[in-house]
Amino acid sequence: MESVKKPRVRIVGEEKVRLKKSFVKPWLGIKYLFKKPVTIKIPFERIEPAPKYRGFHTLDWKKCIGCNFCGQICPARAIEMTWIEVDGKIEKRPHPKVDYGRCTFCQFCVDVCPTGALGHVENCYLTTSGLEEDLELYDWVPIDPKKVQELNEKFGDYRFPVERITFNKETKETTYYLRDGTEFRFKIIGYGLKPPAAARPKPAAKPAQKSAESSKKDESSKTEEKKG
Amino acid sequence: MADLEVPKELREEAKGHDMYLHPIDKNTYELFFGPQHMATENFSVILKMDGNRIEKAIVNPGFLHRGFEKLAEGRPYFTNIALLLRICVPESDVPENIYSMAVDEIVGWEVPDRAQWIRTTVLEMARMSAWMFWILGFGNEIGLYTAGQWAAAYRERFMRLFEELTGGRVYHIYTVPGGVRRDIPGDKWLRQLRDTVEYLKGKLKDFDEILFDNYITIERTEGVGVMDKKFALRHAVTGPNLRAVGVPYDVRKDDPYYFYPELDFEVPVLKEGDSLARVLVRRYEMEQDLYILEQLLDMGPPSGPYMVQDPRLKALPRFKPPKGDAYAHVESTKGDFGAYVVSDGTHKPYRVHVRGPSQSHGVTVLEELLKGARLADVPVILKTLDNCPPDIDR
Ligand code: SF4
Ligand code: SF4
């Protein structure tokens, strides 16, 4: 193999590579003193992230079918499936909750999502002021892409669309305070692929159910009645 | 430092290890070089000094050990891309490509031409930005900070191009088994790439002026850290370091992949094997890489899909390749980078082994070359060997 391929290597000898030692030439670099600097003065100038930069996620809650493909592909195991109750109504399927303390922003989850529910925006600023409550901020169920787009058009500085997240331990109510002042409330009632106790029928009915798919619908409607 | 009080038991114990505490003689002292020193990046060298001369050097890696190979066994095939690229930080596309090539071979996928073109371009762009990163490090080590600052600014141009193509700046997570993840954003991107190549061609002259022709560079590197051909071959030295001792070995020529058989480029070879030769080989390769990028742009991306069409890709997390194993390697700026992947038919690889060039450059060769060198030459030898600590530790 060696002998066949060797002649194709065009070797460059010393004469071409070797350069000349010089005292004077380095001083020619001084000409750059009179040119415009390339440094970006950050608070005054800004570079926009490229279109389709891999930033924060968005999730269309209506489209998500809770298939957990995103959770399976995630290399950092940043995705946790979450059962959510909005306005007293339990969502039929679990939704992914992304922990940005682990996320690597690879967006493999976006690639595999079969329904296109999960998406991403260019927003990329992860910095906070370092307060204790800010740590809560980056573990969220992504919100609707339209809302994020709207916020982006309003502010245009590519920051996290949510200003503060509070979690009430007793009522399990989570509140997102969006940047434009609106609030968004829902309840997190459980984690994992299996429906949580609140969404499950009475234990006597069906203790072990593998194919929860079909039964999930009536389960959630039952619990709605119970809650209501 | 000579009469530093070391408890007697510790001294006795230290004799058993070759790693940490050494009994110190009257005239020799022990110096911990790195990891806080800029030149060593993320590992350290323990030097046993006799005055200004180094008697013995012991490399102390392991600060970055994350166990990539073991971690890769526990994750699905595609997911591993986001993990393995962290092996080589300055050119993260290399681990992506070797792993993807190996998996392609196991599955038996014919990667579409367009994807191959994009992969070749991305590899060359990664090489170029890695050279810029190397100038930043090397220039700083010999005190020519200006060159380093310029290089960092030029690297930014490639980062911007990567950002537009892949959506990431440093870790691109772009090449996956079967092709690439996104198509080229449009003709505008190709024009920008050509502009950047033209721009850098002009800037290489500036680098010649202030760095490569510079009196200081030549004085600092000539005759420092000499290695001969036999030594280099015995220690599995690859890449520019091997070409600097007179062996014309380049994976792109000797075991071509992607579009390289159709490209025309030269392999620079010098005989001296000292630091200056290593610097000059790198300087010439930059020129060749720009030339390759130009040829690729003249060729233009072939039309067609950028990803193989396979129904199995619909259920990506559960994608199962057939049983088999494959080895693939590419030429990186550090040397010959290879990956060996074994599949046992499940959705996770049975074994992933990465062959990095830095293990030999940064540990065995470095220890030998440092013997007898002056303290001030340590950064120069380190930087001209151009090892990558994340790759040593893995
Ligand atoms: S976001 Fe997409 S991939 Fe994740 S559970 Fe919902 S539908 Fe499935
Ligand atoms: S982008 Fe984040 S959450 Fe999505 S797969 Fe990658 S690491 Fe996981």
Side-chain angles (χ1 to χ4, degrees):
Chain A
M1 192 177 119
E2 287 273 297
S3 57
V4 184
K5 266 157 191 165
K6 265 286 138 64
R8 298 185 48 206
V9 183
R10 272 230 317 282
I11 296 162
V12 175
E14 208 128 318
E15 348 52 69
K16 218 165 165 187
V17 177
R18 176 122 358 245
L19 300 163
K20 295 237 174 58
K21 191 147 112 176
S22 166
F23 281 116
V24 190
K25 272 190 186 171
W27 298 103
L28 294 177
I30 285 176
K31 65 177 178 248
Y32 279 92
L33 267 183
F34 311 106
K35 295 211 169 141
K36 192 176 162 281
V38 292
T39 315
I40 300 155
K41 301 188 184 71
I42 279 285
F44 312 110
E45 288 175 59
R46 213 141 42 91
I47 41 169
E48 303 272 306
K52 293 219 279 178
Y53 183 81
R54 296 196 307 256
F56 298 122
H57 299 81
T58 58
L59 179 69
D60 192 338
W61 289 21
K62 292 206 183 65
K63 274 197 205 157
C64 175
I65 53 165
C67 61
N68 196 26
F69 266 25
C70 47
Q72 281 178 359
I73 198 82
C74 181
R77 293 177 194 152
I79 287 181
E80 197 170 18
M81 300 311 276
T82 318
W83 289 86
I84 287 168
E85 184 188 314
V86 194
D87 302 334
K89 238 170 86 186
I90 296 182
E91 293 271 319
K92 291 192 185 82
R93 305 292 173 87
H95 293 327
K97 182 177 179 208
V98 184
D99 179 359
Y100 286 120
R102 303 186 67 114
C103 179
T104 62
F105 295 98
C106 64
Q107 302 319 14
F108 272 125
C109 49
V110 177
D111 281 12
V112 296
C113 182
T115 58
L118 204 59
H120 64 92
V121 282
E122 290 90 34
N123 299 26
C124 58
Y125 287 94
L126 253 175
T127 45
T128 63
S129 49
L131 298 174
E132 193 74 8
E133 59 184 39
D134 286 344
L135 297 178
E136 298 277 319
L137 199 53
Y138 293 113
D139 191 0
W140 75 326
V141 180
I143 56 171
D144 200 79
K146 284 200 205 85
K147 188 75 200 167
V148 180
Q149 215 59 49
E150 197 183 294
L151 288 171
N152 269 357
E153 271 157 31
K154 195 165 174 198
F155 294 97
D157 57 357
Y158 299 101
R159 288 192 178 278
F160 199 56
V162 179
E163 219 154 43
R164 199 152 56 85
I165 293 180
T166 53
F167 181 66
N168 189 332
K169 277 218 180 81
E170 269 143 40
T171 60
K172 299 216 167 131
E173 191 168 70
T174 310
T175 316
Y176 288 1
Y177 296 92
L178 301 188
R179 291 186 69 199
D180 61 353
T182 50
E183 286 173 22
F184 182 55
R185 279 171 213 279
F186 59 89
K187 273 186 190 169
I188 292 180
I189 50 174
Y191 294 102
L193 280 180
K194 291 232 177 85
R200 224 174 276 157
K202 305 259 151 37
K206 263 186 245 161
Q209 30 170 281
K210 270 268 164 164
S211 55
E213 294 289 284
S214 55
S215 46
K216 243 182 245 163
K217 259 186 195 165
D218 38 69
E219 279 158 30
S220 44
S221 53
K222 257 182 220 164
T223 34
E224 272 165 44
E225 286 159 22
K226 204 168 67 187
K227 293 258 151 146
Chain B
M1 269 184 103
D3 35 65
L4 191 76
E5 272 306 318
V6 181
K8 206 169 166 229
E9 319 88 72
L10 267 184
R11 273 170 184 264
E12 289 305 315
E13 200 195 319
K15 276 178 193 157
H17 309 289
D18 202 26
M19 215 39 195
Y20 289 106
L21 271 175
H22 288 274
I24 300 164
D25 283 346
K26 217 173 174 190
N27 289 325
T28 55
Y29 59 97
E30 207 178 40
L31 188 65
F32 281 65
F33 193 87
Q36 77 279 37
H37 192 282
M38 219 163 64
T40 54
E41 291 176 19
N42 302 319
F43 78 142
S44 86
V45 194
I46 302 166
L47 303 170
K48 206 172 162 204
M49 306 289 300
D50 177 10
N52 195 18
R53 293 271 158 200
I54 294 159
E55 263 184 12
K56 193 178 177 193
I58 297 157
V59 174
N60 179 19
F63 295 97
L64 276 177
H65 179 69
R66 288 156 288 181
F68 284 127
E69 291 175 0
K70 190 69 198 167
L71 284 175
E73 288 167 20
R75 281 169 169 72
Y77 273 89
F78 277 70
T79 300
N80 274 337
I81 295 286
L83 175 79
L84 290 172
L85 84 171
R86 275 152 234 275
I87 287 176
C88 189
V89 184
E91 43 180 348
S92 56
D93 296 290
V94 169
E96 281 177 32
N97 269 283
I98 48 180
Y99 177 76
S100 305
M101 276 161 89
V103 177
D104 286 344
E105 204 180 314
I106 293 175
V107 188
W109 273 331
E110 278 288 325
V111 180
D113 274 356
R114 192 179 177 84
Q116 292 211 14
W117 188 91
I118 299 175
R119 282 183 184 187
T120 320
T121 313
V122 162
L123 271 179
E124 283 305 318
M125 280 164 65
R127 273 175 74 84
M128 222 34 235
S129 55
W131 289 135
M132 289 300 134
F133 205 64
W134 172 76
I135 293 184
L136 171 69
F138 174 69
N140 286 359
E141 280 345 306
I142 58 171
L144 301 173
Y145 292 91
T146 317
Q149 304 295 336
W150 290 2
Y154 302 150
R155 180 169 178 261
E156 176 61 33
R157 288 179 167 246
F158 281 105
M159 304 243 281
R160 183 71 198 177
L161 286 170
F162 273 128
E163 194 183 325
E164 270 161 31
L165 178 66
T166 68
R169 285 166 68 81
V170 178
Y171 291 131
H172 311 134
I173 319 185
Y174 183 59
T175 313
V176 288
V180 290
R181 280 176 71 191
R182 290 180 186 178
D183 204 353
I184 300 171
D187 286 345
K188 190 163 159 263
W189 186 83
L190 293 173
R191 271 202 305 282
Q192 276 172 352
L193 178 57
R194 193 183 283 277
D195 286 350
T196 308
V197 172
E198 288 300 319
Y199 179 78
L200 268 181
K201 265 188 163 171
K203 295 301 168 197
L204 268 189
K205 285 197 199 78
D206 285 348
F207 278 127
D208 280 352
E209 280 168 6
I210 71 152
L211 185 68
F212 297 111
D213 276 353
N214 196 327
Y215 183 77
I216 298 170
T217 311
I218 297 181
E219 286 291 293
R220 286 290 306 267
T221 53
E222 200 159 23
V224 171
V226 188
M227 86 178 135
D228 61 15
K229 201 164 164 176
K230 223 172 118 201
F231 171 86
L233 289 174
R234 202 172 63 233
H235 284 87
V237 174
T238 47
N241 298 341
L242 185 63
R243 295 195 277 280
V245 298
V247 184
Y249 173 73
D250 188 323
V251 184
R252 294 175 297 175
K253 286 280 190 194
D254 291 322
D255 188 9
Y257 47 94
Y258 299 159
F259 266 78
Y260 286 109
E262 290 159 44
L263 297 168
D264 165 52
F265 60 98
E266 292 167 335
V267 177
V269 167
L270 287 178
K271 281 196 256 355
E272 288 88 348
D274 60 352
S275 295
L276 180 60
R278 292 198 282 274
V279 170
L280 292 179
V281 163
R282 291 200 164 86
R283 158 69 184 75
Y284 199 78
E285 286 200 8
M286 279 173 217
E287 218 173 291
Q288 291 302 309
D289 287 338
L290 288 176
Y291 180 47
I292 291 173
L293 274 175
E294 220 170 32
Q295 285 177 56
L296 281 167
L297 284 170
D298 286 342
M299 212 187 274
S303 54
Y306 58 91
M307 188 78 193
V308 285
Q309 310 294 323
D310 195 322
R312 277 178 291 181
L313 291 177
K314 284 269 168 347
L316 212 50
R318 293 277 140 189
F319 165 72
K320 289 191 184 89
K323 270 186 193 171
D325 60 337
Y327 178 77
H329 59 163
V330 304
E331 179 79 20
S332 77
T333 56
K334 323 270 180 233
D336 184 348
F337 234 114
Y340 180 60
V341 182
V342 184
S343 154
D344 60 352
T346 58
H347 69 287
K348 294 168 184 170
Y350 177 73
R351 176 86 170 95
V352 178
H353 174 70
V354 177
R355 188 261 176 225
S358 300
Q359 172 69 32
S360 68
H361 297 169
V363 181
T364 47
V365 173
L366 185 68
E367 277 182 3
E368 290 295 319
L369 291 194
L370 283 183
K371 258 180 214 161
R374 286 174 307 160
L375 182 58
D377 289 337
V378 179
V380 175
I381 295 176
L382 258 168
K383 274 289 149 193
T384 52
L385 283 173
D386 195 15
N387 59 336
C388 180
D391 170 25
I392 300 175
D393 300 339
R394 248 173 272 144

